[in-house]
Amino acid sequence: TVKRLGKAWAIDTYEHGVRRRLSGFATKKEAQYMERFLLNEADDLPTRANVTVNQLHAEWLETYIAGGVTKSSLYKTNGFWRRDIKPIFGSKDITQVTSPDIQKWLNKGSNKYVSFVKNAMQLRSIFKYGVHQGYIDASPFDKVTVPHRRPAKEKLTWSDEDYQQWLNYLNDELWHKSKKQSVYLLLLTKTGLRRQEISALTVNDIDFNKRTIKINKALKYGDDGVYLGSTKSKDSNRVIGIDQQTVERLRLYLPNLGSNPHILFPAGGGSNQNNEYMSFNRGYKWFKKAMQEAGVPDIGGLHALRHQFTTVAIKKGISPKLVQKQLGHSDVSITMDIYDHVNDKEVIGIADRLAD
């Protein structure tokens, strides 16, 4: 018998006159499902044996997708499954996966990269689904101690001297080698754009007279390849300003795009004939090579240029609220978290000023 107990549902079964109660079901449907399972009234009910993690994942994924998920999020979820979960657990029977198995996997994986532990919660959700559907009595994840996430790497930025050296390289040596690479890296440096945002830019997004760029879309990856999607948040839809020198470089760069330019940084040699977007990986390679040729310290990936922009802007006295708007952050605390380091010269400067 299925009955409601407060906010939850329960099942009462009787054997030899003795009542046995199972409670804690979130919905009536779950309770009825388990009741049918216990009474073995349906031939198509799942059995507790011979169900692999692969099979359970396939069922869970349908529910996950039905709940509403963006293509880019699904792409990341599927990528973690294929890369980090399936090779270890996929072929195993769900009843054979133990808590020590998962604990060992988590401990090892947490040292691989910062987001591993967060992504690993997918496996917890899969086993939780298995419990709700009656495939297993309890999740092996319940007895696992989730490791603390690795602290994010220190945000590296250049000194004032290195920053100026970087700009000189972009505007001189790299400009003569490749106008496309020069303008791409210059825009990231001078505006703090995200790589997804700059990759989605079209020529029509730029207002040369007003010296502004409209940010209202982002390039994303899905299982079917790249596609245009929305920006990271509503605050990321914005209009940003660009300095006169960068405007002039953009004007000089546009003729390289052919007679009917559309995508600002297309894939291929330069023209818009293929009308395809450039991959993030290409921009990353440009950045790594450019830092080496410019003779400046390697500060990481393309996202480091957002940190550099924030540091330069706040050092020059620009209001954190204005920097927040330029970067498209939802909260000014995110902006200030980037500017959380003070170099040795600044520390000494503070001490000297306080001593006066």
Side-chain angles (χ1 to χ4, degrees):
T1 305
V2 174
K3 60 176 62 178
R4 192 179 187 93
L5 293 177
K7 294 183 179 180
W9 291 83
I11 306 167
D12 283 343
T13 61
Y14 296 87
E15 185 174 356
H16 305 300
V18 178
R19 186 182 72 177
R20 178 189 175 199
R21 170 167 291 176
L22 296 176
S23 59
F25 296 96
T27 65
K28 183 178 181 181
K29 184 177 179 180
E30 288 181 3
Q32 289 173 331
Y33 190 90
M34 180 57 74
E35 181 184 40
R36 294 198 308 274
F37 180 83
L38 293 174
L39 296 175
N40 197 26
E41 291 181 351
D43 295 333
D44 60 346
L45 289 176
T47 61
R48 294 174 180 244
N50 302 320
V51 177
T52 66
V53 177
N54 276 333
Q55 293 169 320
L56 187 61
H57 165 262
E59 286 193 25
W60 168 84
L61 190 62
E62 288 186 16
T63 304
Y64 176 68
I65 294 173
V69 59
T70 64
K71 288 195 291 184
S72 60
S73 294
L74 181 60
Y75 175 74
K76 294 174 184 176
T77 298
N78 287 340
F80 186 80
W81 160 259
R82 289 190 295 264
R83 183 181 64 249
D84 293 300
I85 300 178
K86 185 177 181 179
I88 307 299
F89 300 108
S91 61
K92 290 188 174 183
D93 187 288
I94 58 174
T95 61
Q96 300 303 311
V97 179
T98 67
S99 297
D101 290 337
I102 298 176
Q103 188 71 66
K104 184 178 179 180
W105 172 71
L106 273 176
N107 293 346
K108 183 178 180 180
S110 63
N111 292 316
K112 291 173 67 174
Y113 51 90
V114 174
S115 60
F116 183 92
V117 173
K118 176 183 176 182
N119 293 336
M121 295 305 103
Q122 178 184 162
L123 185 61
R124 181 169 67 179
S125 296
I126 292 171
F127 277 111
K128 184 177 180 180
Y129 172 85
V131 172
H132 285 170
Q133 295 301 321
Y135 288 105
I136 47 178
D137 292 322
S139 167
F141 226 111
D142 290 346
K143 296 182 180 180
V144 166
T145 300
V146 178
H148 291 294
R149 296 179 188 174
R150 287 175 57 196
K153 292 181 180 179
E154 180 185 357
K155 299 177 179 70
L156 302 177
T157 56
W158 293 308
S159 65
D160 294 345
E161 294 78 10
D162 287 331
Y163 177 67
Q164 189 58 53
Q165 186 172 326
W166 169 250
L167 291 179
N168 291 342
Y169 167 77
L170 295 183
N171 287 313
D172 187 9
E173 184 178 339
L174 187 58
W175 173 256
H176 291 101
K177 285 183 178 180
S178 170
K179 290 180 173 58
K180 184 178 181 180
Q181 294 183 34
S182 174
V183 173
Y184 178 86
L185 294 173
L186 188 64
L187 264 184
L188 286 174
T189 303
K190 290 292 195 70
T191 64
L193 285 172
R194 298 179 177 93
R195 62 178 187 171
Q196 298 93 333
E197 294 168 345
I198 193 172
S199 298
L201 286 180
T202 65
V203 175
N204 291 334
D205 291 325
I206 305 171
D207 189 320
F208 288 92
N209 294 323
K210 293 182 179 179
R211 292 197 286 118
T212 59
I213 299 178
K214 181 171 57 179
I215 311 299
N216 58 9
K217 54 191 173 297
L219 194 67
K220 299 184 177 183
Y221 279 93
D223 286 329
D224 298 327
V226 296
Y227 69 98
L228 277 182
S230 59
T231 54
K232 190 172 183 180
S233 67
K234 65 177 183 179
D235 296 290
S236 297
N237 292 321
R238 61 201 189 278
V239 175
I240 63 172
I242 43 178
D243 63 274
Q244 188 62 47
Q245 182 189 32
T246 304
V247 169
E248 294 306 318
R249 286 299 164 109
L250 279 166
R251 289 185 189 277
L252 293 171
Y253 163 67
L254 287 187
N256 293 270
L257 300 179
S259 58
N260 187 29
H262 174 57
I263 300 173
L264 189 60
F265 299 105
S271 74
N272 273 274
Q273 299 305 314
N274 55 16
N275 207 35
E276 294 179 358
Y277 291 92
M278 190 180 78
S279 70
F280 301 151
N281 192 46
R282 178 172 294 183
Y284 173 82
K285 289 180 178 178
W286 287 352
F287 184 41
K288 288 295 187 180
K289 183 178 179 181
M291 284 190 288
Q292 187 176 30
E293 292 185 347
V296 296
D298 188 325
I299 58 174
L302 290 170
H303 198 77
L305 289 175
R306 279 173 66 81
H307 303 159
Q308 184 66 45
F309 172 84
T310 305
T311 300
V312 171
I314 293 180
K315 275 186 177 181
K316 290 189 175 183
I318 298 175
S319 160
K321 288 293 291 182
L322 290 177
V323 177
Q324 172 197 354
K325 183 177 180 181
Q326 175 85 6
L327 293 173
H329 284 154
S330 58
D331 194 303
V332 72
S333 64
I334 301 174
T335 307
M336 293 308 297
D337 183 55
I338 295 174
Y339 189 71
D340 63 356
H341 61 283
V342 183
N343 63 38
D344 292 342
K345 290 182 180 179
E346 288 174 317
V347 171
I348 297 170
I350 292 171
D352 289 342
R353 288 169 64 184
L354 290 173
D356 291 340

